[in-house]
Amino acid sequence: GVSGTPHLGDPALLEVVLSAKEHREDRARAIRLLGLDETRPTCVLAASGHSPRETLRLITDELAAPTVRSAVIGNATAVVCQGSFDMRELSDRLERLIVEQFPAVVSTGTASGPWIGIGSVGNAFSASTSWHEAVRALRFASSTGFGRRVVAYERLSAAEVMRRWPQF
């Protein structure tokens, strides 16, 4: 396929790439079949709370990543991106964009629109780690107390520690 256009990849293949349980050979095969490059920097985003297709468009417009594969897994949309990018900068850009396009309803304090978690960058074989990080970051983003719509996992450490040991 043409790698410039985002497409909802074969969900079964993407699940193999994102699973920590699959054998390396099976993941290598799925990576190839999806047209991903084993050696390129790879990062996974998890998104929820909005139309998967619109959320995907929002993310890919900002990313300018050459290769994007996506599938709905469980109650989140997994977005696998390959390219070189600064996750912190990306999370700030997406945050601004979502807040502009989906303002919170002041009367109720509830926000509409997508929440996004961003995993760390590795290679295609570490996509499962990035996916689990993205899902954890997404939980923070969608918990109303955190105050951000987009959370990069690498920014979480202090917040996660405080949540795990509330006495501090």
Side-chain angles (χ1 to χ4, degrees):
V2 182
S3 62
T5 55
H7 64 84
L8 292 157
D10 181 323
L13 285 175
L14 213 52
E15 283 193 51
V16 171
V17 174
L18 298 179
S19 166
K21 297 181 204 68
E22 302 288 342
H23 292 294
R24 191 181 169 93
E25 310 83 77
D26 294 331
R27 279 194 282 166
R29 187 171 158 274
I31 287 165
R32 281 196 305 276
L33 288 170
L34 284 167
L36 297 171
D37 180 339
E38 292 176 17
T39 61
R40 291 202 70 146
T42 304
C43 164
V44 186
L45 286 70
S48 72
H50 194 59
S51 141
R53 209 165 280 284
E54 278 185 51
T55 303
L56 183 60
R57 192 173 309 122
L58 188 90
I59 293 169
T60 50
D61 285 353
E62 276 308 297
L63 262 178
T67 311
V68 177
R69 298 288 177 270
S70 166
V72 176
I73 296 179
N75 51 10
T77 302
V79 184
V80 177
C81 311
Q82 290 201 308
S84 51
F85 22 63
D86 177 332
M87 283 353 284
R88 283 169 182 248
E89 197 237 340
L90 174 66
S91 72
D92 290 341
R93 285 211 319 266
L94 283 170
E95 173 77 22
R96 280 197 300 274
L97 202 69
I98 292 171
V99 169
E100 274 168 27
Q101 291 190 21
F102 304 94
V105 181
V106 180
S107 57
T108 59
T110 55
S112 69
W115 284 268
I116 298 172
I118 303 176
S120 57
V121 179
N123 65 21
F125 284 103
S126 58
S128 64
T129 303
S130 187
W131 166 241
H132 289 292
E133 293 172 350
V135 168
R136 280 169 80 179
L138 176 62
R139 277 196 210 114
F140 269 85
S142 57
S143 71
T144 47
F146 200 69
R148 274 183 75 89
R149 311 288 279 282
V150 182
V151 176
Y153 181 81
E154 60 183 41
R155 284 182 158 161
L156 274 182
S157 48
E160 284 231 300
V161 167
M162 283 161 59
R163 197 176 67 148
R164 212 170 289 143
W165 292 287
Q167 68 268 28
F168 288 118

